[in-house]
Amino acid sequence: MKTIINSLICLLFFITIGYSQKSIQKFNEDKLLTRLEVLSSDKFEGRRTGEKGNDLARAYIIKEFKSLNLPGFNGRYEHSFSFDSRVGKFDANNILIEIKGTDFPDKYIVVSAHHDHLGISGDIIYNGADDDASGVSALFAFAEYLKQNPPKHSVILAAFDAEELGLRGAKYFVDNMKEETIVANINMDMISRSSKNELYVVGSRYNKTLQEVITSFKNPTNTKLLVGHDGSDGKQDWTYASDHGPFHRANIPFLYFGNEDHAAYHKPTDDFKDITPEFYKNAVEIILSIFNDIDNKSI
């Protein structure tokens, strides 16, 4: 009898271990890399706002979200807007996905990245792998995780357009969400390439709760998470450097995640082959873990 009991205990132990290992799988790491490679391929011609490559990239992004059976925000994936700039008038499109919260369905955490880049100059394509195909591919990782682990707050996954033309997509979004309650923005821009294995987080200094989240964060990876580039350390200030800027101007708490500028920043050499895959996977895991910490707090 003891032998049978011990065997059953061992079997339950291994089943439990197997289940635990499966349950902590946050996202598909292979697909994270594959989607980044696709989004930064020549097919999308640098994803410049208003051009064919941007249209093709949007179609790919929407197809991927549909494959995960996730609905668009307010019943629509694409949210169109137009604007005038020094170089002309542009028609642009944000892509928005909504995941309803279990406890606070009327309060939103917005997780964002920008899907546009610089396009083509002559016959040279600016593929923008790190900037910001990396952030958009990470949105799919969030989608995979949140489908299996419903959040307490409602979540909008936002792939903004026209970031490179003055944060236009994020500005349009914030202006049109004034009647909604957004408790925080998590913005990802350039998170796939770091020779130093360092990821920066900006924004915690402006909100006590977010500061507590970052201070108490237990990093599950060997990638360094550094607080800085926030106007307090003499380094380049990134407080308004990307799509989190309009949220901050609207007094919405934010955290921006990004790596240091590298030699390929805004160059045609920002290609998939030069990302640092382990850093990228770690960066996404860090950001997802911090999202969970925020989701479990009242901001």
PDB file of all heavy atoms in Angstrom, residues 242-260:
ATOM      1  N   SER A 242       8.145  59.656 -26.837  1.00  0.00           N
ATOM      2  CA  SER A 242       7.375  58.704 -27.627  1.00  0.00           C
ATOM      3  C   SER A 242       5.892  58.842 -27.259  1.00  0.00           C
ATOM      4  O   SER A 242       5.487  59.858 -26.681  1.00  0.00           O
ATOM      5  CB  SER A 242       7.895  57.283 -27.383  1.00  0.00           C
ATOM      6  OG  SER A 242       7.207  56.334 -28.188  1.00  0.00           O
ATOM      7  N   ASP A 243       5.105  57.841 -27.586  1.00  0.00           N
ATOM      8  CA  ASP A 243       3.652  57.965 -27.473  1.00  0.00           C
ATOM      9  C   ASP A 243       3.124  58.105 -26.054  1.00  0.00           C
ATOM     10  O   ASP A 243       1.932  58.374 -25.868  1.00  0.00           O
ATOM     11  CB  ASP A 243       2.986  56.767 -28.149  1.00  0.00           C
ATOM     12  CG  ASP A 243       3.042  56.849 -29.665  1.00  0.00           C
ATOM     13  OD1 ASP A 243       2.908  57.963 -30.205  1.00  0.00           O
ATOM     14  OD2 ASP A 243       3.224  55.798 -30.315  1.00  0.00           O
ATOM     15  N   HIS A 244       3.965  57.922 -25.056  1.00  0.00           N
ATOM     16  CA  HIS A 244       3.529  58.185 -23.682  1.00  0.00           C
ATOM     17  C   HIS A 244       3.392  59.680 -23.414  1.00  0.00           C
ATOM     18  O   HIS A 244       2.720  60.083 -22.465  1.00  0.00           O
ATOM     19  CB  HIS A 244       4.516  57.574 -22.686  1.00  0.00           C
ATOM     20  CG  HIS A 244       5.935  57.982 -22.948  1.00  0.00           C
ATOM     21  ND1 HIS A 244       6.703  57.380 -23.912  1.00  0.00           N
ATOM     22  CD2 HIS A 244       6.717  58.948 -22.393  1.00  0.00           C
ATOM     23  CE1 HIS A 244       7.909  57.952 -23.928  1.00  0.00           C
ATOM     24  NE2 HIS A 244       7.925  58.899 -23.015  1.00  0.00           N
ATOM     25  N   GLY A 245       4.038  60.516 -24.241  1.00  0.00           N
ATOM     26  CA  GLY A 245       4.026  61.962 -24.030  1.00  0.00           C
ATOM     27  C   GLY A 245       2.632  62.555 -23.918  1.00  0.00           C
ATOM     28  O   GLY A 245       2.338  63.305 -22.965  1.00  0.00           O
ATOM     29  N   PRO A 246       1.719  62.280 -24.874  1.00  0.00           N
ATOM     30  CA  PRO A 246       0.362  62.829 -24.748  1.00  0.00           C
ATOM     31  C   PRO A 246      -0.381  62.355 -23.506  1.00  0.00           C
ATOM     32  O   PRO A 246      -1.209  63.094 -22.961  1.00  0.00           O
ATOM     33  CB  PRO A 246      -0.319  62.325 -26.030  1.00  0.00           C
ATOM     34  CG  PRO A 246       0.803  62.177 -27.011  1.00  0.00           C
ATOM     35  CD  PRO A 246       1.965  61.680 -26.192  1.00  0.00           C
ATOM     36  N   PHE A 247      -0.107  61.139 -23.043  1.00  0.00           N
ATOM     37  CA  PHE A 247      -0.726  60.671 -21.800  1.00  0.00           C
ATOM     38  C   PHE A 247      -0.234  61.510 -20.624  1.00  0.00           C
ATOM     39  O   PHE A 247      -1.024  61.929 -19.773  1.00  0.00           O
ATOM     40  CB  PHE A 247      -0.406  59.191 -21.572  1.00  0.00           C
ATOM     41  CG  PHE A 247      -1.087  58.254 -22.526  1.00  0.00           C
ATOM     42  CD1 PHE A 247      -0.509  57.937 -23.739  1.00  0.00           C
ATOM     43  CD2 PHE A 247      -2.312  57.680 -22.202  1.00  0.00           C
ATOM     44  CE1 PHE A 247      -1.124  57.063 -24.625  1.00  0.00           C
ATOM     45  CE2 PHE A 247      -2.952  56.812 -23.081  1.00  0.00           C
ATOM     46  CZ  PHE A 247      -2.356  56.506 -24.296  1.00  0.00           C
ATOM     47  N   HIS A 248       1.072  61.739 -20.582  1.00  0.00           N
ATOM     48  CA  HIS A 248       1.643  62.527 -19.492  1.00  0.00           C
ATOM     49  C   HIS A 248       1.087  63.952 -19.496  1.00  0.00           C
ATOM     50  O   HIS A 248       0.755  64.489 -18.425  1.00  0.00           O
ATOM     51  CB  HIS A 248       3.159  62.542 -19.627  1.00  0.00           C
ATOM     52  CG  HIS A 248       3.865  63.240 -18.505  1.00  0.00           C
ATOM     53  ND1 HIS A 248       3.587  63.002 -17.181  1.00  0.00           N
ATOM     54  CD2 HIS A 248       4.860  64.195 -18.521  1.00  0.00           C
ATOM     55  CE1 HIS A 248       4.365  63.754 -16.412  1.00  0.00           C
ATOM     56  NE2 HIS A 248       5.127  64.498 -17.205  1.00  0.00           N
ATOM     57  N   ARG A 249       0.955  64.537 -20.683  1.00  0.00           N
ATOM     58  CA  ARG A 249       0.406  65.895 -20.773  1.00  0.00           C
ATOM     59  C   ARG A 249      -1.037  65.939 -20.282  1.00  0.00           C
ATOM     60  O   ARG A 249      -1.500  66.982 -19.807  1.00  0.00           O
ATOM     61  CB  ARG A 249       0.492  66.400 -22.212  1.00  0.00           C
ATOM     62  CG  ARG A 249       1.897  66.804 -22.632  1.00  0.00           C
ATOM     63  CD  ARG A 249       1.895  67.551 -23.968  1.00  0.00           C
ATOM     64  NE  ARG A 249       3.215  68.094 -24.249  1.00  0.00           N
ATOM     65  CZ  ARG A 249       4.149  67.472 -24.948  1.00  0.00           C
ATOM     66  NH1 ARG A 249       3.886  66.248 -25.445  1.00  0.00           N
ATOM     67  NH2 ARG A 249       5.322  68.019 -25.155  1.00  0.00           N
ATOM     68  N   ALA A 250      -1.740  64.812 -20.407  1.00  0.00           N
ATOM     69  CA  ALA A 250      -3.124  64.733 -19.927  1.00  0.00           C
ATOM     70  C   ALA A 250      -3.198  64.268 -18.479  1.00  0.00           C
ATOM     71  O   ALA A 250      -4.282  63.914 -17.987  1.00  0.00           O
ATOM     72  CB  ALA A 250      -3.918  63.789 -20.821  1.00  0.00           C
ATOM     73  N   ASN A 251      -2.061  64.251 -17.793  1.00  0.00           N
ATOM     74  CA  ASN A 251      -1.983  63.858 -16.379  1.00  0.00           C
ATOM     75  C   ASN A 251      -2.395  62.411 -16.140  1.00  0.00           C
ATOM     76  O   ASN A 251      -2.943  62.064 -15.087  1.00  0.00           O
ATOM     77  CB  ASN A 251      -2.836  64.794 -15.505  1.00  0.00           C
ATOM     78  CG  ASN A 251      -2.332  66.219 -15.518  1.00  0.00           C
ATOM     79  OD1 ASN A 251      -1.130  66.468 -15.377  1.00  0.00           O
ATOM     80  ND2 ASN A 251      -3.233  67.168 -15.702  1.00  0.00           N
ATOM     81  N   ILE A 252      -2.124  61.572 -17.130  1.00  0.00           N
ATOM     82  CA  ILE A 252      -2.344  60.136 -16.987  1.00  0.00           C
ATOM     83  C   ILE A 252      -1.020  59.477 -16.627  1.00  0.00           C
ATOM     84  O   ILE A 252      -0.023  59.664 -17.338  1.00  0.00           O
ATOM     85  CB  ILE A 252      -2.898  59.538 -18.296  1.00  0.00           C
ATOM     86  CG1 ILE A 252      -4.263  60.147 -18.617  1.00  0.00           C
ATOM     87  CG2 ILE A 252      -2.989  58.012 -18.195  1.00  0.00           C
ATOM     88  CD1 ILE A 252      -4.777  59.819 -20.003  1.00  0.00           C
ATOM     89  N   PRO A 253      -0.941  58.714 -15.546  1.00  0.00           N
ATOM     90  CA  PRO A 253       0.314  58.063 -15.165  1.00  0.00           C
ATOM     91  C   PRO A 253       0.819  57.159 -16.289  1.00  0.00           C
ATOM     92  O   PRO A 253       0.029  56.504 -16.982  1.00  0.00           O
ATOM     93  CB  PRO A 253      -0.072  57.243 -13.928  1.00  0.00           C
ATOM     94  CG  PRO A 253      -1.276  57.942 -13.375  1.00  0.00           C
ATOM     95  CD  PRO A 253      -2.027  58.456 -14.567  1.00  0.00           C
ATOM     96  N   PHE A 254       2.136  57.134 -16.459  1.00  0.00           N
ATOM     97  CA  PHE A 254       2.700  56.323 -17.534  1.00  0.00           C
ATOM     98  C   PHE A 254       4.010  55.685 -17.112  1.00  0.00           C
ATOM     99  O   PHE A 254       4.718  56.177 -16.224  1.00  0.00           O
ATOM    100  CB  PHE A 254       2.945  57.178 -18.789  1.00  0.00           C
ATOM    101  CG  PHE A 254       4.198  58.031 -18.689  1.00  0.00           C
ATOM    102  CD1 PHE A 254       5.412  57.574 -19.202  1.00  0.00           C
ATOM    103  CD2 PHE A 254       4.173  59.273 -18.065  1.00  0.00           C
ATOM    104  CE1 PHE A 254       6.569  58.340 -19.096  1.00  0.00           C
ATOM    105  CE2 PHE A 254       5.326  60.051 -17.955  1.00  0.00           C
ATOM    106  CZ  PHE A 254       6.531  59.579 -18.474  1.00  0.00           C
ATOM    107  N   LEU A 255       4.331  54.589 -17.788  1.00  0.00           N
ATOM    108  CA  LEU A 255       5.668  54.013 -17.754  1.00  0.00           C
ATOM    109  C   LEU A 255       6.088  53.772 -19.195  1.00  0.00           C
ATOM    110  O   LEU A 255       5.349  53.156 -19.968  1.00  0.00           O
ATOM    111  CB  LEU A 255       5.702  52.686 -16.986  1.00  0.00           C
ATOM    112  CG  LEU A 255       5.493  52.749 -15.480  1.00  0.00           C
ATOM    113  CD1 LEU A 255       5.493  51.330 -14.898  1.00  0.00           C
ATOM    114  CD2 LEU A 255       6.551  53.609 -14.791  1.00  0.00           C
ATOM    115  N   TYR A 256       7.243  54.285 -19.546  1.00  0.00           N
ATOM    116  CA  TYR A 256       7.798  54.053 -20.876  1.00  0.00           C
ATOM    117  C   TYR A 256       8.996  53.125 -20.758  1.00  0.00           C
ATOM    118  O   TYR A 256       9.891  53.354 -19.940  1.00  0.00           O
ATOM    119  CB  TYR A 256       8.221  55.364 -21.535  1.00  0.00           C
ATOM    120  CG  TYR A 256       9.197  55.179 -22.668  1.00  0.00           C
ATOM    121  CD1 TYR A 256       8.879  54.367 -23.758  1.00  0.00           C
ATOM    122  CD2 TYR A 256      10.444  55.788 -22.653  1.00  0.00           C
ATOM    123  CE1 TYR A 256       9.780  54.176 -24.792  1.00  0.00           C
ATOM    124  CE2 TYR A 256      11.346  55.604 -23.682  1.00  0.00           C
ATOM    125  CZ  TYR A 256      11.012  54.798 -24.755  1.00  0.00           C
ATOM    126  OH  TYR A 256      11.910  54.597 -25.765  1.00  0.00           O
ATOM    127  N   PHE A 257       9.030  52.094 -21.607  1.00  0.00           N
ATOM    128  CA  PHE A 257      10.141  51.146 -21.618  1.00  0.00           C
ATOM    129  C   PHE A 257      10.877  51.236 -22.948  1.00  0.00           C
ATOM    130  O   PHE A 257      10.261  51.171 -24.022  1.00  0.00           O
ATOM    131  CB  PHE A 257       9.616  49.716 -21.422  1.00  0.00           C
ATOM    132  CG  PHE A 257       9.001  49.479 -20.072  1.00  0.00           C
ATOM    133  CD1 PHE A 257       7.649  49.699 -19.852  1.00  0.00           C
ATOM    134  CD2 PHE A 257       9.787  49.047 -19.004  1.00  0.00           C
ATOM    135  CE1 PHE A 257       7.078  49.493 -18.611  1.00  0.00           C
ATOM    136  CE2 PHE A 257       9.234  48.838 -17.756  1.00  0.00           C
ATOM    137  CZ  PHE A 257       7.876  49.063 -17.555  1.00  0.00           C
ATOM    138  N   GLY A 258      12.211  51.363 -22.862  1.00  0.00           N
ATOM    139  CA  GLY A 258      13.026  51.423 -24.067  1.00  0.00           C
ATOM    140  C   GLY A 258      14.490  51.204 -23.752  1.00  0.00           C
ATOM    141  O   GLY A 258      14.916  51.320 -22.604  1.00  0.00           O
ATOM    142  N   ASN A 259      15.249  50.865 -24.780  1.00  0.00           N
ATOM    143  CA  ASN A 259      16.691  50.733 -24.609  1.00  0.00           C
ATOM    144  C   ASN A 259      17.400  51.981 -25.105  1.00  0.00           C
ATOM    145  O   ASN A 259      16.802  52.845 -25.762  1.00  0.00           O
ATOM    146  CB  ASN A 259      17.230  49.487 -25.332  1.00  0.00           C
ATOM    147  CG  ASN A 259      16.655  49.276 -26.722  1.00  0.00           C
ATOM    148  OD1 ASN A 259      15.857  48.367 -26.919  1.00  0.00           O
ATOM    149  ND2 ASN A 259      17.043  50.112 -27.678  1.00  0.00           N
ATOM    150  N   GLU A 260      18.665  52.096 -24.797  1.00  0.00           N
ATOM    151  CA  GLU A 260      19.457  53.244 -25.243  1.00  0.00           C
ATOM    152  C   GLU A 260      19.485  53.302 -26.765  1.00  0.00           C
ATOM    153  O   GLU A 260      19.460  52.282 -27.451  1.00  0.00           O
ATOM    154  CB  GLU A 260      20.900  53.117 -24.715  1.00  0.00           C
ATOM    155  CG  GLU A 260      21.034  53.306 -23.217  1.00  0.00           C
ATOM    156  CD  GLU A 260      21.281  54.757 -22.827  1.00  0.00           C
ATOM    157  OE1 GLU A 260      21.087  55.648 -23.684  1.00  0.00           O
ATOM    158  OE2 GLU A 260      21.662  54.990 -21.666  1.00  0.00           O
TER     159      GLU A 260
END
